[in-house]
Structures are given as structure tokens and as C-alpha cells.
Amino acid sequence: MPVNPTEPIQASDSETSNEQDPNAIAIAETSDDASAETSEEDLIIPTDIPTADDPSSRVNKKDLEGAGFTLDEFASLLSKYDYNFKPGDIVNGTVFALESKGAMIDIGAKTAAFMPMQEVSINRVEGLSDVLQPSEIRQFFIMSEENEDGQLSLSIRRIEYQRAWERVRQLQKEDATIYSEVFATNRGGALVRVEGLRGFIPGSHISTRKAKEELVADFLPLKFLEVDEERNRLVLSHRRALVERKMNRLEVGEVVIGTVRGIKPYGAFIDIGGVSGLLHISEISHEHIETPHSVLNVNDQMKVMIIDLDAERGRISLSTKALEPEPGDMLTDPQKVFDKAEEMAARYKQMLLEQAEEGEDPIAVMSV
């Protein structure tokens, strides 16, 4: 229905109400003013709230006294989770898997470490199970930095290697006699293993009637000649060990029966009960000798007198000159020297005693 322009337009109820109630407008204005005043108060920061720089806002150290552990203990606990492993470190680890090419080891790192088969022992082993068992806990040597997968390489062999050198150095210091099995021979001598390390016996320090090739699998008494970890040299002497053992039962001035085993331009090597002594060319006779070959032959049996025992160098020095009843008898009548040996040795010992009482050096006397 069209609105008649002559009719007045009706106001809404609210408009009509406001117009009719002046007090309502006053209440609305008062409410808006209160709201504005409250917002301004909320923005004011109380003065009694401490700032971050205020010491009173921090935890008092005394509050930690009832925590059950000290700060040092807490630091120690955190150190157990330090993954900063370095090559050369020795760490504890747990074996959790044995594989065909090596073992997986848990050392507390982010990724399991790996130990190659060749690093399991300083000795030759048939398989990992000969050395390791699952869940076994032991020490491992870290060989390298982490690879691209974050994995470390470990070794037991390196630890055994270090400890083996420490052990042989101690044995050398004690001048100990050891026993070791010959596992190979070569042109220069024989090879043995000592504490897992490869050792070498020079041919000149092998004292036996066997050929070198026949020594394989034989156990020999040995003395240390050289222990050098930096050069990886471990040199031993069979002769020194035998000489020391024999020396315990020998004495200077004693007459022994020996057999000529080798002749050199400077003298002859005489086997006296399994050890070799040197009969120098100057100790064969009072008479001058051009060469030992003119007086001695290999396999000759003879009596000799001990004139020096050098345990440190493993040498026994011998003489037949001291046993000659008359100067030159070794050249003209060696049988006479053989028969009169004990008698001449007794005279010689008496002379040494007399010289010693007069303050002279017995060894110097024997070389006259």
C-alpha cells in the first residue's frame, strides 16, 4: 500500500523510547566513561613486580639442597651422554651383533660402531666367536672419525698391541727368559711370537745342532736383544738363553769337553753341552798360529778351559793355551794337552788365586 506523503512517518520504538526517557541517555554516557577509566588502569604496571635483573626473581641455590644430588654429580651424569668420541680413545662397549665381516658394538654413540674382523685380535682367529660373545662388555679402541653415516670404527687389536709392547718392555727390563714356538724360518733366522708380537731370532743367535728349517714348531728358550716399538723391532736370542742357563753351572777356570762346530779366520766355535763358546785364535796356543784350520778340524773333540763368562752378551770365552804343559803342545802333541788338561787347570787356578791375593786382575793374567 503506497505511503501517503501527507501522513507523518512513525519513529522506531527505541527512538521513541529515548525521546521519551532522558534518564536512559545519561546512564549510557556514564557506562562509557567507566569503561574508559578501567582500561587506563589496566595498562599501568604495578611497581611491586620484580624485573629479570632483580636477584630476588631467581631460584636460590639453597633450593637445590633437597634435590638429592650435587651440581658436580649432575655434570658427571651429563658427561655420560657426551658423544664427542675421538680417534685414539679407549671406550667401553657392548657387543650386540656378530656379522660375517665384523661386529656391531654399542658404545653409547648415536649410531652403532663397527669393528672389522681383522681388528678383533692381535692373534690369528678363525671367527669372531673365538673372541667375542653377544652382550659381552669390554674395552675398544676408536680408530677413526665418524663416516658419512655417523659410524665409528673400533679395534681390540690396537689395545692388545699396546699392552703387548708394555709387557715385553717389562720382560726385557727384568732380563727374563721366555719360551716361544718357532712358526717360520727364513734366510736370516727364525720367527716367533711373543705376547702376540712377531719376533726375530738372527741365525747367529740360534744355538742348536738342527737345521733352521727343522726348528718350526719347536719351543725355544729366548732372551731379549732389542725391544723397539717405534721401529716395530723385536729381536731375541736363543744362544743367550742357553748360555745363561749353562753359565749357572759353569765357572771361570773350569775344564769342559767340547766339539768343534765351526772354524773362522779369527777362531773356532766349540759346542760345550748345547751352548757355543769361542776359542779365539790367540787362545789356541802359546805359539803363533796363522789360521785355526792348521790346528783344528770340524767335529774334533777336545778339552778347553773357560776363561770368561759374559752373561749380558751371551758369550763364553775358551782357551787351550792355558792347558798346554809346554808352549806349542797344541801344535805338536794335542793328545798330551787333552790328557793333562785337569792337572794344568788346577795349576792355573792356583796361580789365579795367588795373583788375586796380590791385587792383580785374574782375567788379565789369563790372557798373558
Side-chain angles (χ1 to χ4, degrees):
M1 176 178 176
V3 177
N4 190 337
T6 61
E7 294 179 355
I9 299 173
Q10 299 293 323
S12 64
D13 293 341
S14 61
E15 290 177 350
T16 303
S17 174
N18 289 338
E19 290 177 357
Q20 295 176 352
D21 190 356
N23 293 330
I25 296 173
I27 292 173
E29 291 176 353
T30 302
S31 177
D32 291 341
D33 292 341
S35 176
E37 291 177 1
T38 302
S39 298
E40 292 176 359
E41 291 178 355
D42 290 342
L43 293 175
I44 298 174
I45 300 175
T47 58
D48 59 346
I49 296 178
T51 66
D53 293 332
D54 189 347
S56 65
S57 66
R58 303 171 189 169
V59 177
N60 195 323
K61 287 186 177 180
K62 293 182 179 180
D63 295 339
L64 296 177
E65 293 180 354
F69 55 85
T70 65
L71 291 175
D72 290 340
E73 290 171 339
F74 183 66
S76 176
L77 180 63
L78 290 179
S79 69
K80 295 181 180 180
Y81 298 93
D82 182 11
Y83 299 119
N84 187 27
F85 297 112
K86 303 182 298 299
D89 287 349
I90 295 178
V91 297
N92 289 327
T94 303
V95 181
F96 69 86
L98 300 181
E99 302 179 352
S100 59
K101 295 183 179 180
M104 302 301 294
I105 313 296
D106 177 13
I107 61 171
K110 293 174 288 185
T111 304
F114 180 72
M115 184 178 64
M117 176 70 179
Q118 62 269 23
E119 294 295 329
V120 71
S121 177
I122 196 173
N123 298 304
R124 185 175 181 179
V125 297
E126 296 298 328
L128 287 171
S129 58
D130 293 344
V131 179
L132 299 175
Q133 297 297 324
S135 301
E136 178 182 356
I137 300 175
R138 62 181 302 163
Q139 290 185 323
F140 297 89
F141 180 94
I142 298 179
M143 294 194 297
S144 63
E145 299 280 359
E146 293 180 351
N147 60 18
E148 60 275 11
D149 298 324
Q151 190 175 66
L152 292 164
S153 294
L154 305 180
S155 173
I156 294 175
R157 186 178 68 87
R158 303 291 180 90
I159 297 177
E160 293 180 342
Y161 185 81
Q162 292 175 356
R163 292 174 179 172
W165 279 109
E166 291 175 3
R167 176 61 177 157
V168 296
R169 281 194 293 269
Q170 182 62 32
L171 290 171
Q172 181 192 39
K173 184 178 179 180
E174 296 171 357
D175 194 28
T177 298
I178 63 169
Y179 285 81
S180 186
E181 181 182 9
V182 177
F183 69 87
T185 61
N186 56 30
R187 185 176 180 180
L191 300 175
V192 295
R193 292 195 183 279
V194 181
E195 299 291 327
L197 302 173
R198 176 177 292 193
F200 177 66
I201 311 172
S204 60
H205 280 269
I206 298 175
S207 185
T208 178
R209 297 179 184 179
K210 286 185 176 181
K212 282 188 301 184
E213 295 74 15
E214 298 177 1
L215 291 175
V216 175
D218 281 2
F219 280 85
L220 303 179
L222 302 168
K223 284 282 190 180
F224 292 95
L225 292 179
E226 183 179 357
V227 176
D228 190 338
E229 181 179 359
E230 291 185 0
R231 299 171 61 195
N232 196 29
R233 283 176 59 85
L234 182 58
V235 186
L236 305 110
S237 174
H238 176 228
R239 186 187 70 199
R240 270 199 62 194
L242 292 181
V243 169
E244 182 183 84
R245 181 192 298 173
K246 189 70 176 178
M247 282 182 179
N248 293 332
R249 302 189 298 269
L250 297 175
E251 61 180 23
V252 173
E254 182 180 357
V255 174
V256 294
I257 296 177
T259 304
V260 179
R261 293 302 181 193
I263 300 176
K264 302 292 182 180
Y266 53 83
F269 290 98
I270 313 298
D271 183 343
I272 52 173
V275 295
S276 182
L278 176 63
L279 177 61
H280 194 270
I281 187 172
S282 62
E283 288 296 331
I284 294 176
S285 176
H286 284 88
E287 295 292 333
H288 177 70
I289 297 175
E290 292 292 338
T291 172
H293 288 88
S294 63
V295 182
L296 305 172
N297 297 298
V298 174
N299 294 327
D300 280 354
Q301 192 172 62
M302 57 194 303
K303 287 182 180 179
V304 292
M305 187 173 75
I306 298 170
I307 59 173
D308 186 38
L309 296 170
D310 189 343
E312 184 176 348
R313 300 170 66 186
R315 293 182 179 179
I316 300 176
S317 298
L318 307 172
S319 175
T320 52
K321 179 172 73 174
L323 301 179
E324 287 184 319
E326 297 293 337
D329 279 346
M330 275 298 296
L331 283 68
T332 60
D333 193 355
Q335 185 61 44
K336 181 179 179 181
V337 176
F338 190 95
D339 294 339
K340 296 282 187 177
E342 284 76 15
E343 179 183 337
M344 295 303 300
R347 292 183 185 180
Y348 211 89
K349 284 182 180 181
Q350 183 61 37
M351 181 184 69
L352 291 180
L353 291 174
E354 293 173 357
Q355 297 291 344
E357 290 175 357
E358 295 176 5
E360 294 187 28
D361 184 1
I363 301 300
V365 173
M366 298 181 86
S367 61
V368 176

